[in-house]
Every structure is written in C-alpha cells, then in structure tokens.
Amino acid sequence: MAGDMMTFNIKDGFMEAVCRGFRSGLLNTTDYSNICQCDCLDDVKQQLACTDYGDFLSNEHPPIATTTIAEKSTDKLVQEFNWVRSQSTAPLTKFLDYIRYSYMIDNVIL
C-alpha cells in the first residue's frame, strides 16, 4: 500500500493533471449565464473566446451556423480524447477503447 502511494505520480500523475486541467476548462455558471444572454451566434462566439473553447471557432467567418458550432466542438472533443488516449497507459487505454464503442457506452450508462 505504501509503495503504491510513493509511485503514484510516476505512473499516473501526468494523466491526473491533464484531467484536472480539462475539468478546470469546463464552462462555469457565469460563463453559461453569459452565453444564455447572447442574442446571436456571433455573440456566442465572442463569449466562448474568453474561455478554453475560444480558439476552435476563430477561423469561422460570420454568419456562423449552429451546425458549424456543433461540428467544430465535436472535432475539438475528438482531438482531445485521442490525445488523452495516446498519452495513457494500459488500464486507462483499454477503458478509453471500450467507451469509444456505442454498445459499450450503452452498458456504462445503464
């Protein structure tokens, strides 16, 4: 038990820090309420520019469509997921492989 605690950061510290960083990048209550008050999608783009999501819409020119926001945000999520998977080690990699399959997602949700 004590040996496991001493080697935790060697094996799992990097991925834990990455996950904590992703968690801190989620929208908070203030960000969400600011987005809810936007009148148009260009205002949403400007509000997202102040968060960790800011750069994924930077190359899109107005008028921006909801499908564009959905596609770009999905692409960003997939890129981050693939990066986390490539940096992970054996047990986590296997779990991340499992949750990529739709029937496995259904099993996790149920």
Side-chain angles (χ1 to χ4, degrees):
M1 177 75 178
D4 291 339
M5 294 301 291
M6 291 175 47
T7 61
F8 175 78
N9 278 338
I10 295 171
K11 295 179 183 175
D12 303 314
F14 176 69
M15 287 311 303
E16 181 183 3
V18 167
C19 290
R20 287 178 187 257
F22 283 142
R23 183 182 174 275
S24 70
L26 295 175
L27 296 177
N28 58 30
T29 309
T30 307
D31 294 332
Y32 185 74
S33 65
N34 288 340
I35 290 172
C36 288
Q37 295 174 2
C38 292
D39 293 330
C40 63
L41 294 175
D42 290 329
D43 294 342
V44 172
K45 180 181 171 181
Q46 289 176 348
Q47 287 296 326
L48 287 174
C50 301
T51 66
D52 286 355
Y53 299 94
D55 62 341
F56 81 102
L57 291 173
S58 62
N59 295 331
E60 298 301 319
H61 301 290
I64 193 167
T66 54
T67 55
T68 305
I69 294 174
E71 288 173 7
K72 294 293 183 176
S73 58
T74 302
D75 289 344
K76 180 177 172 57
L77 177 66
V78 168
Q79 287 174 356
E80 289 175 350
F81 180 85
N82 287 334
W83 184 83
V84 167
R85 189 188 164 285
S86 69
Q87 298 296 318
S88 64
T89 56
L92 179 59
T93 304
K94 190 170 189 172
F95 174 74
L96 293 175
D97 285 340
Y98 284 155
I99 66 171
R100 286 177 27 182
Y101 307 124
S102 61
Y103 64 90
M104 293 294 226
I105 294 171
D106 293 339
N107 288 340
V108 171
I109 292 173
L110 297 176

